[in-house]
Amino acid sequence: MPRVDRGEGAWLQTEHGRLLDAISSWWVITHGHRHPRIIAAIKDQADRLDQVIFAGFTHQPAEDLARGLIDIAPKGLSHVFYSDSGSTSVEVALKMALGFWRNQNIPRNRIIALEHAYHGDTVGTMSAGARGVFNAAYEPLLFDVARLPFPRGPDTLAALEDMAKDAAALIVEPLILGAGGMKTYPAELLAKMKNICERHGTLFIADEVMTGFGRTGTLFACEQAGITPDILCLAKGLTGGALPLAATLCTPEIFQAHYSPDRSRTFFHSSSFTANPIACAAARANLEIWREEPVRDRVAGLCAMQAEGLARFQDDRRFESVRCLGTIAALDFKVSDPGYLAGRGPELTAFFHARGILLRPLGNTIYVMPPYCVTAAELDLVYDAIGAAASQFGG
Ligand SMILES: *Cc1c(COP(=O)(O)O)cnc(C)c1O
């Protein structure tokens, strides 16, 4: 296992040489490693206040960040709850949804989640996620959810229509299911699912932990469907990927349902490092970068480069489901035995490493999700390596 010593832009320096970080260090690094503004903000904040209890106290970076997030989030989200990972941002969302109904004495507590979903690795988020080899051992601890078929069309919508009647909330990864295999579905279906939830009063939770901060071509994936979720989960790219921080945004109605002199209605969730000042300062710098640098142009450029990079595989019979959503490109090795490449995943990963590329296929799905600073020449290296892998491993 190579030891990594430095990061710079799209590159990692290991003890054995350079690696192009084509998966953004597990989808977190957005602008590139060590963006100067984020690093400066971290250093500056570290010199002022490292950590403070966030119950009964507040601080400038957390307040600025909350305001900044409400400004850029889909209209209608008014409150921000901080935590420290994608999983906790989703746990918080699920707890908010349950509390919303319980505090009104309405017995709605079922969660609806998508087939192939991934929402994290805590017990609650595993429950909402697809069941499989990764969580089989913990199955006895997981709670039941209503499982909605992967959004394909009328069948999914009809099923949701039925499930939504008395459910507490639907949770979705908007437009693309990440860990489930970079499976995409159209914005139109997302908008229709939101509409059905609205008609039944079911809360709509958008888990934008992966899709947030530009990945799908827009700042948030929900924008492409023109929807505002009742609850929005953010993490990975929130600090540009430099530090762990998460935020769960919600509507005034959800806030109000928990805001009461009656202590039993409190939103009970706290953790030691809620709104850590250094992490908030890093995230505040990230929002400044989005405001002041041409990030949207970079993202648009990367979307075009990804589509172009994939084009050479469009008619390649060794691949199928060649797809691109914004800055995320993915393609599936065609194999007769689907377990074949999953078993050879480590070998495939090692093949890419040997060529100076950090890629980490999900089963037989190869995906490319680089930081936005990546150049066309660098992406060429990635697609050349995928072509070479096809020659070596393809059927
Ligand atoms: C990564 C991810 C999570 C979990 O985030 P962690 O920070 O790893 O806990 C949740 N939801 C989605 C959609 C993710 O991609």
Side-chain angles (χ1 to χ4, degrees):
M1 214 184 280
R3 186 188 305 125
V4 180
D5 298 320
R6 289 180 73 83
E8 176 83 49
W11 293 88
L12 293 168
Q13 181 71 47
T14 79
E15 55 192 329
H16 308 305
R18 289 204 317 162
L19 272 182
L20 180 59
D21 189 354
I23 59 164
S24 298
S25 286
W26 247 352
W27 323 344
V28 300
I29 299 288
T30 48
H31 310 293
H33 288 275
R34 290 196 305 112
H35 188 291
R37 267 174 107 144
I38 293 174
I39 299 304
I42 290 171
K43 287 180 176 169
D44 180 65
Q45 186 57 39
D47 276 339
R48 293 163 197 268
L49 176 65
D50 48 358
Q51 162 66 8
V52 66
I53 177 173
F54 202 63
F57 290 89
T58 178
H59 52 77
Q60 202 67 50
E63 290 189 18
D64 292 347
L65 178 60
R67 267 186 222 103
L69 287 173
I70 287 161
D71 273 353
I72 60 173
K75 285 264 157 317
L77 296 167
S78 56
H79 290 78
V80 177
F81 190 96
Y82 290 115
S83 60
D84 34 43
S85 75
S87 298
T88 48
S89 77
V90 174
E91 289 279 343
V92 163
L94 297 173
K95 287 172 71 174
M96 280 179 175
L98 270 281
F100 173 81
W101 292 110
R102 183 178 186 271
N103 289 345
Q104 301 175 77
N105 298 314
I106 300 173
R108 292 176 73 152
N109 49 42
R110 201 164 180 65
I111 299 293
I112 309 170
L114 294 182
E115 183 191 6
H116 306 305
Y118 178 79
H119 296 292
D121 272 342
T122 52
V123 169
T125 57
M126 279 193 294
S127 300
R131 307 299 161 85
V133 60
F134 300 110
N135 47 38
Y138 324 112
E139 186 76 39
L141 293 180
L142 306 186
F143 57 78
D144 277 339
V145 300
R147 191 68 63 188
L148 189 65
F150 180 79
R152 281 186 194 90
D155 290 358
T156 304
L157 297 176
L160 178 59
E161 194 77 55
D162 198 44
M163 291 172 186
K165 284 183 188 112
D166 54 359
L170 166 68
I171 180 165
V172 302
E173 291 161 88
L175 302 186
I176 179 165
L177 279 64
M182 299 298 160
K183 294 179 162 57
T184 60
Y185 62 94
E188 192 197 338
L189 275 179
L190 181 61
K192 285 183 175 160
M193 291 194 291
K194 171 70 170 76
N195 183 268
I196 291 171
C197 287
E198 235 163 70
R199 270 193 286 107
H200 292 288
T202 310
L203 297 176
F204 189 94
I205 304 171
D207 175 356
E208 293 230 24
V209 169
M210 178 186 83
T211 52
F213 296 97
R215 286 292 174 200
T216 66
T218 45
L219 183 58
F220 300 112
C222 283
E223 290 171 23
Q224 296 184 38
I227 58 166
T228 297
D230 298 291
I231 305 178
L232 173 69
C233 306
L234 302 174
K236 293 185 168 120
L238 176 55
T239 59
L243 286 175
L245 181 70
T248 308
L249 280 67
C250 73
T251 59
E253 290 76 18
I254 292 169
F255 175 81
Q256 281 304 332
H258 292 91
Y259 189 68
S260 162
D262 175 359
R263 262 180 60 81
S264 74
R265 287 177 50 171
T266 302
F267 182 64
F268 287 109
H269 193 101
S270 61
S271 65
S272 314
F273 290 103
T274 300
N276 171 263
I278 301 174
C280 287
R284 181 173 62 183
N286 173 42
L287 297 198
E288 282 164 19
I289 292 166
W290 274 93
R291 257 196 316 273
E292 294 165 25
E293 291 185 17
V295 182
R296 283 176 173 79
D297 296 343
R298 265 178 231 149
V299 164
L302 176 54
C303 294
M305 285 174 353
Q306 287 281 62
E308 202 172 305
L310 269 187
R312 71 166 103 163
F313 298 107
Q314 210 73 55
D315 299 318
D316 188 327
R317 304 237 295 258
R318 295 169 300 184
F319 292 102
E320 58 193 349
S321 300
V322 179
R323 57 202 183 273
C324 196
L325 178 68
T327 74
I328 306 168
L331 65 176
D332 298 349
F333 258 129
K334 212 185 277 175
V335 280
S336 40
D337 168 14
Y340 167 78
L341 275 170
R344 299 187 74 172
E347 225 178 301
L348 204 51
T349 298
F351 175 88
F352 290 124
H353 283 194
R355 295 180 144 249
I357 312 281
L358 170 48
L359 281 178
R360 203 170 190 279
L362 291 159
N364 65 329
T365 299
I366 299 181
Y367 68 92
V368 184
M369 197 192 301
Y372 308 149
C373 63
V374 76
T375 66
E378 288 163 346
L379 264 190
D380 268 345
L381 299 175
V382 177
Y383 286 103
D384 287 347
I386 293 173
S391 305
Q392 180 140 341
F393 297 88

